[in-house]
Amino acid sequence: MASGGGGGMVRAGVVPGRRVAGYAVVGLVLVGVVCVGTVGAFGVNRIFTGLFFGAAVAVGALIVLFGRDGVELTEDAIVRRTPWGASTVAWERVVAGRFTLGEKGRWTLALDLNGGDEPHRELVLLSIPPVVRPISNAYDMRKREQVNEIRTILRHKRIPVTVLPEIAEALRYHWKIAPPTR
């Protein structure tokens, strides 16, 4: 975790919808394969047992897939991970950050990158529902911690961050944190 000195590692990242759909298909296929295998080995009376064990295997696989998918902000670089690989982005490629309105009314904290294989790229670190009340559950608490951790490391790296005024005000008023700016 990032500390006041900016050291450590911060986990962030948003799994794109296409990969979520792919992971869901993997889960459904695992349920089907385990169920068919159980029924084939023990008879049709074990269909619910097959579904149960298939669901357990699918949940385990989804935990592994989602746990491996994300972005890690370290002192040395930004590491983008997927279940099948990882790539590194140097901090020098980060032009700026922005906390703006994203898809479906969610707030998106993203980094703008230059250079590399693509001429210009966006790296989404966080996508949260708009903050409209004080912290009321574990999800809100974790997202507040992530905003603070990302803000700390971006300040340490001297990355300028633009924040929409309504987002900055809501973060300050409801979550009692300063927006992730320099």
Side-chain angles (χ1 to χ4, degrees):
M1 298 284 164
S3 62
M9 188 262 308
V10 176
R11 278 198 49 86
V14 175
V15 180
R18 201 174 211 148
R19 275 206 303 267
V20 170
Y23 296 166
V25 168
V26 168
L28 290 173
V29 167
L30 286 171
V31 169
V33 166
V34 172
C35 184
V36 167
T38 303
V39 169
F42 301 106
V44 75
N45 291 336
R46 294 292 174 211
I47 193 165
F48 290 110
T49 303
L51 287 172
F52 175 76
F53 284 121
V57 168
V59 166
L62 291 174
I63 288 171
V64 169
L65 289 170
F66 279 103
R68 177 84 172 120
D69 204 321
V71 176
E72 295 174 355
L73 307 173
T74 67
E75 185 64 31
D76 301 323
I78 302 167
V79 181
R80 294 185 284 190
R81 295 190 187 282
T82 61
W84 48 87
S87 63
T88 303
V89 176
W91 280 107
E92 292 77 35
R93 285 193 54 206
V94 179
V95 177
R98 57 192 152 73
F99 211 159
T100 60
L101 294 175
E103 295 178 9
K104 300 176 186 171
R106 294 176 67 87
W107 293 353
T108 302
L109 178 54
L111 299 178
D112 291 324
L113 308 175
N114 67 9
D117 297 336
E118 16 356 86
H120 184 76
R121 184 161 174 104
E122 172 186 79
L123 180 61
V124 177
L125 301 178
L126 197 60
S127 178
I128 61 174
V131 175
V132 295
R133 65 181 185 279
I135 294 172
S136 62
N137 55 44
Y139 177 83
D140 288 349
M141 179 62 82
R142 177 62 193 136
K143 293 305 170 188
R144 179 183 184 273
E145 288 172 5
Q146 278 186 305
V147 169
N148 267 331
E149 291 167 350
I150 293 168
R151 182 192 73 188
T152 299
I153 200 163
L154 293 179
R155 276 186 178 164
H156 176 73
K157 292 294 184 180
R158 300 189 188 286
I159 307 289
V161 178
T162 303
V163 182
L164 286 178
E166 58 267 24
I167 293 174
E169 181 61 23
L171 290 173
R172 186 196 62 73
Y173 182 74
H174 296 298
W175 283 3
K176 309 297 185 219
I177 60 173
T181 59
R182 278 171 63 173

